[in-house]
Amino acid sequence: MEIEPIRSGGILPPLPAVEGGPDREEALKKVEKVRRKVERERLDIMDRHHETVKKSAETYEKLVKKKLLEEEIEKRRLLLREFLEERAEEAKVRRKQEADRPD
């Protein structure tokens, strides 16, 4: 005894015939063609996603390098400012010592 599946609503296409006829072969070719197309689209989507991720990583890397460079520049400016302040203080002390010297 064979049990027939219940089909309601007509959403699914009818089941293909058990016998392999020309319609079945044509349908299989169409299915394979669509399957290849879907796979190509999936690969294209993956490629675009990969490129987007790669660009995001490059952008992030540039931002990090820029931030590190800005921090390094600020650090050098601070050191230079301290150095100049020390030199100015030394020069002030020297001038004061020279002014206090009796000629």
Side-chain angles (χ1 to χ4, degrees):
M1 179 195 262
E2 213 174 3
I3 299 175
E4 293 285 326
I6 299 173
R7 297 244 174 216
S8 62
I11 296 174
L12 298 174
L15 292 174
V18 176
E19 301 172 6
D23 290 339
R24 180 177 168 87
E25 290 175 16
E26 187 177 320
L28 289 175
K29 287 179 184 178
K30 286 181 181 180
V31 167
E32 186 59 33
K33 184 178 178 181
V34 170
R35 187 176 291 141
R36 283 193 305 261
K37 183 178 178 183
V38 168
E39 182 65 17
R40 262 194 316 266
E41 288 177 7
R42 188 181 72 78
L43 291 174
D44 289 343
I45 290 169
M46 288 176 63
D47 287 344
R48 286 194 303 269
H49 175 71
H50 175 72
E51 288 298 319
T52 303
V53 170
K54 185 177 174 183
K55 287 179 183 179
S56 295
E58 289 171 354
T59 302
Y60 178 75
E61 187 175 330
K62 287 178 184 178
L63 290 173
V64 169
K65 284 182 180 180
K66 182 179 177 182
K67 182 71 173 171
L68 290 174
L69 184 60
E70 288 173 353
E71 289 175 359
E72 183 67 26
I73 290 170
E74 188 60 34
K75 187 170 139 184
R76 287 183 183 182
R77 285 180 183 161
L78 181 61
L79 290 173
L80 181 60
R81 187 178 306 134
E82 290 174 358
F83 175 76
L84 292 174
E85 288 173 357
E86 289 175 7
R87 291 290 176 211
E89 190 67 35
E90 290 173 3
K92 185 178 178 182
V93 169
R94 269 188 264 128
R95 281 193 300 263
K96 187 175 183 182
Q97 288 174 350
E98 288 175 6
D100 290 343
R101 259 193 233 167
D103 286 330

